[in-house]
Amino acid sequence: MKNSSWVRCLFLLAASCSALAQGGPQAANQQNPDNVALLKKSRAVYYSLKTEGMKQFTCSMNPNWTALLKTQGVNDPKVLDPAAAKLSQLHFKVDVNGDGNAKISHNEIPAENDQVAEGLKQIYGGMEQMTTGFFQTWSVFVINPPLPDPDTPIELETTPNQYRIKYLEGATRVGVDMGKDYSVTSVHASTADFDSVIRPRFTASGKGLLMNGYDASYQGTGGKDKTELQVALEYQDVSGMKVPRKLELKGSYNGASFAVEVVFDGCTASK
């Protein structure tokens, strides 16, 4: 099994989101008071695990190995079925802290030969990269509201139908399009190395808008590392908080298609 596009695409997209998740205001106390009020009002519309007081949650991860192997070109039942059965012996666990940083652990299963050992090594690393990459993107919208801190200086453009917010997070230029109901429709991030856009989808949670999926694209400079991504999410209630139950991800990386499905179960959470 190759260390393939479904891993690399999330790694690239997460790089474009990391500044949004971890950055802070660039020049506090220089913000227009009207902009401060707008950001406070819009941030309050969203479900936020930080607002809920989440410290950590832990889940087992169960990939659909049969579907994943098929996307890697393994279709012969004589190869597919034994490979899926072997991979089902793998047990992955993810711990996500209050900032959305994910730590992956797993057991190891016996390898019959060096080729199988190398394949398993790539799977271990691939699952870790995929999971940490996903949660780095996810945290921008669910751990924190998908808008800058109210003290962050912004440029604000207003049209009859939407707001457009522009600001800096370090060297990353960010643009957020938001409807008059404060629902974010797109987040653009660009640096000298890449341009990316995420178009989130939300559902009402009873405690604010909760992201239940997104479409995303990433383009490296010089036309390299082109990624298209479609993500769907389902949630479960754990200790009164919303955490992922199912992740479905599909798309393409430099023209190569992929699809991944992971179920999260046995979850615990603390505040």
Side-chain angles (χ1 to χ4, degrees), residues 13-226:
L13 185 62
S16 70
C17 291
S18 62
L20 310 184
Q22 300 173 12
Q26 302 298 308
N29 302 321
Q30 297 182 16
Q31 177 66 291
N32 182 309
D34 291 340
N35 292 348
V36 172
L38 174 67
L39 290 175
K40 287 182 177 179
K41 185 179 293 185
S42 57
R43 285 169 61 92
V45 168
Y46 292 88
Y47 182 88
S48 166
L49 283 172
K50 190 172 289 292
T51 300
E52 292 295 299
M54 190 271 288
K55 290 184 179 179
Q56 182 180 15
F57 69 84
T58 300
C59 297
S60 296
M61 295 171 50
N62 301 288
N64 184 333
W65 294 114
T66 298
L68 178 56
L69 287 165
K70 286 182 177 180
T71 68
Q72 303 303 302
V74 182
N75 294 297
D76 184 347
K78 294 180 180 179
V79 178
L80 176 64
D81 294 344
K86 185 173 186 65
L87 290 174
S88 68
Q89 300 173 41
L90 285 172
H91 303 290
F92 288 91
K93 185 178 77 171
V94 59
D95 296 291
V96 182
N97 69 13
D99 293 321
N101 297 317
K103 182 179 179 181
I104 314 303
S105 58
H106 62 85
N107 66 328
E108 295 192 8
I109 58 178
E112 293 82 0
N113 52 53
D114 290 344
Q115 183 179 8
V116 172
E118 179 60 26
L120 289 171
K121 181 180 178 181
Q122 291 183 4
I123 289 172
Y124 300 149
M127 285 299 297
E128 181 173 358
Q129 290 181 52
M130 185 203 75
T131 306
T132 55
F134 163 71
F135 279 109
Q136 202 165 23
T137 302
W138 174 84
S139 66
V140 175
F141 297 90
V142 183
I143 298 290
N144 298 290
L147 291 152
D149 184 276
D151 287 333
T152 304
I154 63 171
E155 296 180 22
L156 177 64
E157 301 174 9
T158 304
T159 71
N161 297 317
Q162 72 172 20
Y163 299 103
R164 174 164 290 176
I165 297 169
K166 297 179 181 179
Y167 64 102
L168 291 174
E169 289 284 8
T172 305
R173 300 181 299 278
V174 184
V176 179
D177 290 337
M178 180 173 67
K180 289 301 180 72
D181 60 354
Y182 309 119
S183 176
V184 169
T185 56
S186 67
V187 178
H188 299 256
S190 61
T191 69
D193 299 320
F194 65 81
D195 288 291
S196 68
V197 60
I198 300 176
R199 296 181 176 86
R201 301 183 296 276
F202 299 94
T203 187
S205 71
K207 292 186 176 181
L209 296 177
L210 177 65
M211 185 181 72
N212 64 357
Y214 58 89
D215 297 332
S217 62
Y218 176 102
Q219 180 68 71
T221 55
K224 62 182 180 180
D225 293 330
K226 183 176 181 181

